[in-house]
Amino acid sequence: MTSALPVGDAYPYLRAASAGIRHHTRTLTAHAQSTATPADRPHLDVLHAHLTALHQLLNRLADSTRAPHPASGRHLATAHTRLFQAAAAVHDAFHLVPVADEALTETECHPERLPEGPPVLTICQRHLAAGHVVRRKTTPSDLNTPLHGHTPHCSQ
């Protein structure tokens, strides 16, 4: 899908990221017809990184839009909250996917126990940083509002 608005080269990195996601979705759709491959931890980690980057972008856009256009700013702030809920669901899924190494079967966040050592920014650290930002601007009841009828614990 493309927007009807003329974009030009104003947002080349954002357009490239969107194109990459569309390409990846088409590739997964093509492979799903031949062999269904479940998501693995590296895939979910990269997806979580993308969601948290979008979360940061929406945070900045909501802040800069709120003063001149309050209604639009509120909608962007709501999208910011919902995007954090999506990132939280991907983070939870990451910890529910089986680990290739049998010695690391715990589902808790323990980056110090990774066999290669803690990376510079693990999915848990990234998620905690995003959580800190969203909790400064969002009430707990807003964060616990189900995302389209799902509760945070429906997969457990």
Side-chain angles (χ1 to χ4, degrees), residues 43-65:
H43 190 193
L44 293 176
D45 185 29
V46 171
L47 184 58
H48 185 270
H50 188 79
L51 287 172
T52 53
L54 284 173
H55 183 258
Q56 290 174 353
L57 177 62
L58 270 174
N59 182 37
R60 290 190 182 122
L61 287 173
D63 285 347
S64 64
T65 304

Side-chain angles (χ1 to χ4, degrees), residues 27-98:
T27 303
L28 283 176
T29 303
H31 288 296
Q33 294 171 354
S34 59
T35 59
T37 307
D40 57 1
R41 282 181 165 222
H43 190 193
L44 293 176
D45 185 29
V46 171
L47 184 58
H48 185 270
H50 188 79
L51 287 172
T52 53
L54 284 173
H55 183 258
Q56 290 174 353
L57 177 62
L58 270 174
N59 182 37
R60 290 190 182 122
L61 287 173
D63 285 347
S64 64
T65 304
R66 189 171 283 125
H69 308 290
S72 293
R74 281 192 302 276
H75 281 287
L76 290 174
T78 300
H80 175 255
T81 302
R82 297 299 179 247
L83 194 55
F84 177 77
Q85 289 176 324
V90 171
H91 177 257
D92 292 345
F94 175 89
H95 287 292
L96 293 174
V97 169

Side-chain angles (χ1 to χ4, degrees), residues 41 91-92 94-97 99 104-110:
R41 282 181 165 222
H91 177 257
D92 292 345
F94 175 89
H95 287 292
L96 293 174
V97 169
V99 182
L104 296 173
T105 56
E106 294 181 6
T107 59
E108 297 178 20
C109 293
H110 292 289

